[in-house]
Every structure is written in C-alpha cells, then in structure tokens.
Amino acid sequence: MRKIKNILLKIEYDGTNYRGWQRQASRELKGENDSLTVQEVIETALKDILKEKVSLISSGRTDAGVHAKSQYANFRAATSIPLNKMGMAINALLPSDIRVLSVRRVPDSFHSRYDVKTKVYRYVILNRKYCSVFLRQYVLHIPKPQLDVSVMQKESKVLIGRHDFKSFQASDKKVRGSIRTIKDISVKKSRGLILIDVEADGFLYNMVRNIVGTLIEVGRGKRPKNSLKNILLVRDRRCAGPTVPAKGLTLLKVRYKNDKT
Amino acid sequence: MRKIKNILLKIEYDGTNYRGWQRQASRELKGENDSLTVQEVIETALKDILKEKVSLISSGRTDAGVHAKSQYANFRAATSIPLNKMGMAINALLPSDIRVLSVRRVPDSFHSRYDVKTKVYRYVILNRKYCSVFLRQYVLHIPKPQLDVSVMQKESKVLIGRHDFKSFQASDKKVRGSIRTIKDISVKKSRGLILIDVEADGFLYNMVRNIVGTLIEVGRGKRPKNSLKNILLVRDRRCAGPTVPAKGLTLLKVRYKNDKT
C-alpha cells in the first residue's frame, strides 16, 4: 500500500472572477451567481490528476474578488507522482488566473491553517486623476483629494498590538472573539501607489477592508487626530469607515511556525 | 463661429480585447471576428461628447492584442468644452481597459503621426517555471531554458543604426521601403522580467515581434555568434526567428519633434 503524503501547494490567483477561496456548500449557492471558488477549481484539477478526491486545507479563506500572491494549501494523498512534475500537471488543468507556484512534501503534522504564525494582506490605492488600465482590477482608484499618507501612516500605528477589533469587523458576522494581534501595519507610497500592509495573527471578516476605509477618511482629513484609538475603544462597527472594494486586496504572505514556507 | 481647436490625447490601453488601434473599413471586416478597435471606441465616445464626428490621427497603429502605455492621437473640433473637463467626460464613456491620461491643445500644425521623432516599444518576457496570474496578459512566458540575457543584449546592438530590416518584416506585407533607423535597443533583467526596448524612427509590420523572436533564439543558444548581422544582410524573412505573441508588446513612449509631449 502506498504511503499517504502530506503535500503543500503555494498558490497565486487573480480573484476577479471567483467567489473567493472557500468551496460553498450547495445549499448556500441558492440564489447566488454561479461563479466558482478557487478551492473547488483546484480540487477538481487534483482529482483529475490523483484519481482520488482530496480536500484542500488553506491558510484561511479569502473573500470574493480578493487576490492572492501567496496562498498555501495542503492535502493528503497516496500518490506516486513525482512532486516536481505535479506542479506542471496541475497548472495544465487550471485556468490562467490560478497558478500553483510550488509543490512540496511537508511533515504529516503540518496544517496550513493551524500552523499559521501571521498573514500579511496588502491593500493598494491608486491616488491620481486617472486610473491605469493595467491596474484596474487590482487597485482602488481615488482620483482626489491627494491622501495624506504620512498622517495615515502615523495614525495607523495605534492598531499595532493585541486589541479587540470589533469596530472593524463586518457587522453581520457573529464570531465568538474579536481579539486579534496586529504585528505590523505600514502605509507607504511606492511608484505612484499607496500600499497598506497589515500583518496579523488572524483577521476578522472584512477587517482589512474596514481598516483601510477608515484610514482613507483619515487621509482625506475627515477624522480628528487620534480617532483610530477611539474607534478601537468603542467596539462599534458604525464608528469606523466604510468597507473598501475587494479588488484592491491581496493576500501577500503567510508566515508559518518553524518557517515551513 | 467657434474656432477649430487641434486637441491631443495621451491614451493608455490594454489591447487584450481589441483588434488593434486602427478602425477597419467595413469590407475588411468580412469573415473577421466582431471585436472593436481602440480608435473606433474612442471616436464613438468623442462623438457623444462633441456632438460631431471626429477622426483621430494617432502616432501609428498598434496591432491586435498589443498594449499602449502612451499612445497619442489628435483631432480637430470646434468645441467650447474646457479641456480640463474633457478627459473625465471621455473616460466616463470609455470601457475600463482604455483611459485618456491627458488632454491638451496643440498648435494647428501638429500631426500625431508626421511629427513623431521616435517611438519606443517594450517586449516583456517572464522567464521562470510558472507564469504569474497578474502578468498573464502582458508577458510572454518562457518556462525554460534560462535565456542568456547578456548575449541577447550584446548581439542586439548590431541592429542599432540605419538598416534595411526586410528580414524582420512580416513576409506577407508589401511595403515600399524597409529601411528604418533603430536609435537604441536594450535587453535587460528587471525584477524577474526580461525587458526588450526598441526605439526607432519607424517600425515595419511585426518588426519588434520578429526581432524579439530572433533574440530569444539567440538567448537559447540556438544561433551562432554574430548571426543577427547576417540575418540583416540577407534581407530574407525566412532567416529570422518566429513572430512572438502580441500580448507581450506595449507601445511605451512616443517622442515628438520639438518635444511636444
């Protein structure tokens, strides 16, 4: 009998045409559009190659329209296909907006979600008069006013640390705990873009998009000084800014315990 | 009576979904697919705004699937719309894969094609095992072998100067002259990509794509040393390399006499 291997995929995807990472239970599909999720597309390709049905465990879901430069997902299979051939084989079956970037065997105990130390999400804003055709699906375009990036950067720092982020959680989500730890947050200009990177041990639903929506109001001068501190304290979603569109958001990095990636 | 103004547009487009820049005569459309050209899409938007039919004169056509970061086109119209409002108005009517980046009044004598000094085209190659989902429509993906960029760079230099580029002209095109002047050519690596920039006073049909196809063979080690010099001399399309796909090609810059841009 062939030994069962624990195999880890590094995956990149353009989320534009997907309903997010996570496979939907069929009852949830009712009344929704019929677009696919990234997980089911990859699982279908794996089933074709492995001749067995496998379930992918990812570092976490990404929402509809969100992109990933580096998503990780592992699965268990009793396959004898050489791993250095498997990436090519999977990519040959995948649409061009999903790519497997690497395939590796990992210890049996490795779990793509439980072993996450931190994840980094990046939100990208194009803050100039006209949008760019080449970036149109990957940035939020804010024609004006010029956002005050240094104030956004300064104000954002109050979010670093272990806090209750209830004010930045989608209000329709009932999750038990809303305490998370933001390890780092940075707001910087790079080649005409504003990049907002958030590294945390976990993210609430819409957390980054709500933080960015609030920081944009800070950058527009619409929020008094130290307002982020107060928003955190009140634990009320209505006090934070709007949820910005998914298309500007990318899962940039996943850091694992014991540096497995 | 309102004065007729000569108005210059700077335009960016993602060529993926277009049959190139130039409007097609209806007889040429027979048997072709029904996708649009960039020129007719912009002319339709202008007609809506100006309430008169205008003809765009561009710096030159780009072929089906070729992109532009900086195309220029001028038109004449007796309009009183302020030019600082016109860009917004046009963009509001354009699809998101075409953007007008600036609108300026230019001297009556200015002609977007006749006044070109040089144009710069860039061809982009992604030379690694897996393609990138974010670049898939803008690069040629060559998984292997690793191309020898320094040899490509060195060999390419023989093309600089005034030469008969008949060997690099699409064989089915009968154009009177095939002498052009390449002002500069560079092959360099930048952030994982191979960028091939060609600046010339004019380009023959498929010239850049045929030069790049030949340089790739050089980079693969499939051509003897100094082969480009010989290919130039024989003036025979069959001696050069294949035509690479349009999607890797972008019109990067247009330089005008008297620096009008």
Side-chain angles (χ1 to χ4, degrees), chain B residues 5-244:
Chain B
K5 293 170 185 162
N6 190 9
I7 296 169
L8 178 64
L9 306 178
K10 181 180 178 184
I11 303 155
E12 186 184 71
Y13 48 87
D14 177 335
T16 308
N17 297 316
Y18 296 96
R19 297 182 61 215
W21 168 266
Q22 189 158 295
R23 186 160 24 90
Q24 313 281 314
S26 55
R27 58 187 156 72
E28 289 182 68
L29 283 168
K30 269 185 196 161
E32 301 268 350
N33 68 52
D34 59 356
S35 60
L36 295 166
T37 66
V38 178
Q39 182 181 8
E40 59 195 313
V41 171
I42 302 175
E43 285 179 351
T44 302
L46 285 172
K47 193 181 166 194
D48 269 17
I49 291 165
L50 303 167
K51 314 297 176 204
E52 63 173 308
K53 207 176 159 184
V54 294
S55 287
L56 285 171
I57 301 163
S58 77
S59 74
R61 61 162 78 185
T62 55
D63 294 332
V66 174
H67 317 291
K69 283 221 173 198
S70 167
Q71 169 68 291
Y72 287 88
N74 69 303
F75 63 94
R76 289 179 170 75
T79 177
S80 55
I81 300 170
L83 296 194
N84 61 354
K85 306 277 181 201
M86 199 183 282
M88 291 283 207
I90 303 169
N91 283 330
L93 296 177
L94 290 176
S96 64
D97 52 5
I98 305 178
R99 284 294 97 175
V100 168
L101 300 182
S102 74
V103 181
R104 273 181 308 147
R105 191 166 175 189
V106 284
D108 288 348
S109 62
F110 181 83
H111 190 287
S112 294
R113 188 162 71 255
Y114 300 155
D115 288 350
V116 169
K117 193 165 70 183
T118 62
K119 289 194 281 189
V120 181
Y121 275 96
R122 168 168 289 178
Y123 201 88
V124 185
I125 298 167
L126 181 62
N127 188 201
R128 66 173 197 195
K129 190 170 180 187
Y130 300 119
C131 195
S132 155
V133 299
F134 302 105
L135 299 174
R136 67 192 191 277
Q137 291 170 325
Y138 312 116
V139 301
L140 171 65
H141 177 224
I142 301 182
K144 56 182 183 180
Q146 204 69 29
L147 300 179
D148 188 334
V149 173
S150 65
V151 168
M152 291 165 74
Q153 161 75 352
K154 202 175 153 193
E155 287 273 313
S156 72
K157 295 301 179 190
V158 75
L159 300 175
I160 294 176
R162 189 169 164 82
H163 302 289
D164 187 340
F165 288 97
K166 199 168 162 39
S167 292
F168 297 101
Q169 179 180 28
S171 52
D172 58 336
K173 293 286 160 176
K174 299 278 172 280
V175 178
R176 248 171 311 181
S178 49
I179 292 172
R180 296 290 183 275
T181 300
I182 290 187
K183 296 279 181 182
D184 197 15
I185 184 164
S186 78
V187 184
K188 58 180 182 236
K189 272 198 175 173
S190 173
R191 310 195 316 153
L193 302 169
I194 299 172
L195 310 178
I196 302 173
D197 291 352
V198 185
E199 177 171 9
D201 63 350
F203 293 88
L204 304 169
Y205 191 66
N206 279 356
M207 179 168 145
V208 178
R209 291 161 62 188
N210 293 338
I211 287 174
V212 171
T214 312
L215 283 174
I216 288 170
E217 293 188 340
V218 168
R220 284 181 195 271
K222 286 194 170 175
R223 295 267 178 180
K225 225 177 155 182
N226 296 321
S227 54
L228 257 69
K229 195 169 182 175
N230 296 324
I231 295 169
L232 261 185
L233 288 173
V234 294
R235 303 174 64 251
D236 184 340
R237 172 70 188 91
R238 293 168 297 179
C239 296
T243 309
V244 286

Side-chain angles (χ1 to χ4, degrees), chain A residues 12 91 96 130 133 136 191, chain B residues 12 91 130 133 136 191:
Chain A
E12 186 183 69
N91 282 330
S96 64
Y130 299 119
V133 300
R136 68 192 190 278
R191 309 196 315 154
Chain B
E12 186 184 71
N91 283 330
Y130 300 119
V133 299
R136 67 192 191 277
R191 310 195 316 153

Side-chain angles (χ1 to χ4, degrees), chain A residues 68-132:
Chain A
K69 284 223 170 193
S70 165
Q71 169 69 290
Y72 287 88
N74 68 302
F75 64 94
R76 290 179 168 76
T79 177
S80 56
I81 301 170
L83 296 194
N84 60 356
K85 305 276 181 204
M86 199 184 282
M88 291 283 208
I90 303 170
N91 282 330
L93 295 177
L94 290 177
S96 64
D97 51 7
I98 305 177
R99 285 293 97 175
V100 167
L101 300 181
S102 75
V103 181
R104 273 181 309 148
R105 190 166 176 190
V106 284
D108 288 348
S109 62
F110 181 83
H111 189 285
S112 294
R113 189 162 70 254
Y114 300 154
D115 288 350
V116 169
K117 194 165 67 182
T118 62
K119 290 194 280 189
V120 182
Y121 276 95
R122 169 168 287 178
Y123 200 90
V124 186
I125 298 167
L126 181 62
N127 189 201
R128 66 173 198 194
K129 191 170 181 187
Y130 299 119
C131 196
S132 153

Side-chain angles (χ1 to χ4, degrees), chain A residues 29-250:
Chain A
L29 283 168
K30 270 186 194 160
E32 301 269 350
N33 69 51
D34 58 355
S35 61
L36 296 166
T37 66
V38 178
Q39 181 180 9
E40 61 196 311
V41 170
I42 302 175
E43 285 179 351
T44 303
L46 285 171
K47 192 180 166 193
D48 268 19
I49 291 166
L50 302 167
K51 313 297 175 207
E52 63 172 307
K53 204 175 161 186
V54 295
S55 287
L56 285 171
I57 300 163
S58 77
S59 74
R61 60 163 78 186
T62 56
D63 295 331
V66 174
H67 317 291
K69 284 223 170 193
S70 165
Q71 169 69 290
Y72 287 88
N74 68 302
F75 64 94
R76 290 179 168 76
T79 177
S80 56
I81 301 170
L83 296 194
N84 60 356
K85 305 276 181 204
M86 199 184 282
M88 291 283 208
I90 303 170
N91 282 330
L93 295 177
L94 290 177
S96 64
D97 51 7
I98 305 177
R99 285 293 97 175
V100 167
L101 300 181
S102 75
V103 181
R104 273 181 309 148
R105 190 166 176 190
V106 284
D108 288 348
S109 62
F110 181 83
H111 189 285
S112 294
R113 189 162 70 254
Y114 300 154
D115 288 350
V116 169
K117 194 165 67 182
T118 62
K119 290 194 280 189
V120 182
Y121 276 95
R122 169 168 287 178
Y123 200 90
V124 186
I125 298 167
L126 181 62
N127 189 201
R128 66 173 198 194
K129 191 170 181 187
Y130 299 119
C131 196
S132 153
V133 300
F134 302 106
L135 300 174
R136 68 192 190 278
Q137 291 171 326
Y138 312 115
V139 301
L140 171 64
H141 175 224
I142 301 182
K144 57 183 180 176
Q146 204 69 27
L147 300 180
D148 188 333
V149 174
S150 65
V151 168
M152 292 164 73
Q153 162 74 352
K154 203 175 153 195
E155 288 274 312
S156 72
K157 294 301 180 189
V158 75
L159 301 175
I160 295 176
R162 188 168 165 81
H163 302 289
D164 187 340
F165 288 97
K166 198 167 164 35
S167 292
F168 297 102
Q169 178 181 27
S171 51
D172 58 335
K173 293 286 160 176
K174 300 277 170 280
V175 179
R176 249 171 311 181
S178 48
I179 292 172
R180 297 289 184 276
T181 301
I182 290 188
K183 296 281 183 183
D184 198 14
I185 183 164
S186 78
V187 184
K188 59 181 182 231
K189 272 197 174 172
S190 172
R191 309 196 315 154
L193 301 169
I194 298 172
L195 311 178
I196 302 173
D197 291 354
V198 185
E199 177 171 9
D201 63 351
F203 293 87
L204 304 168
Y205 190 67
N206 279 357
M207 180 169 145
V208 178
R209 291 162 62 188
N210 293 339
I211 288 174
V212 171
T214 311
L215 283 174
I216 288 170
E217 294 188 337
V218 167
R220 284 180 194 272
K222 287 193 171 179
R223 294 267 180 183
K225 224 177 158 184
N226 296 320
S227 55
L228 257 68
K229 195 169 181 178
N230 296 324
I231 295 169
L232 261 185
L233 288 173
V234 294
R235 303 175 64 249
D236 185 339
R237 173 69 189 92
R238 292 168 298 178
C239 296
T243 309
V244 288
K247 68 174 184 171
L249 188 62
T250 300

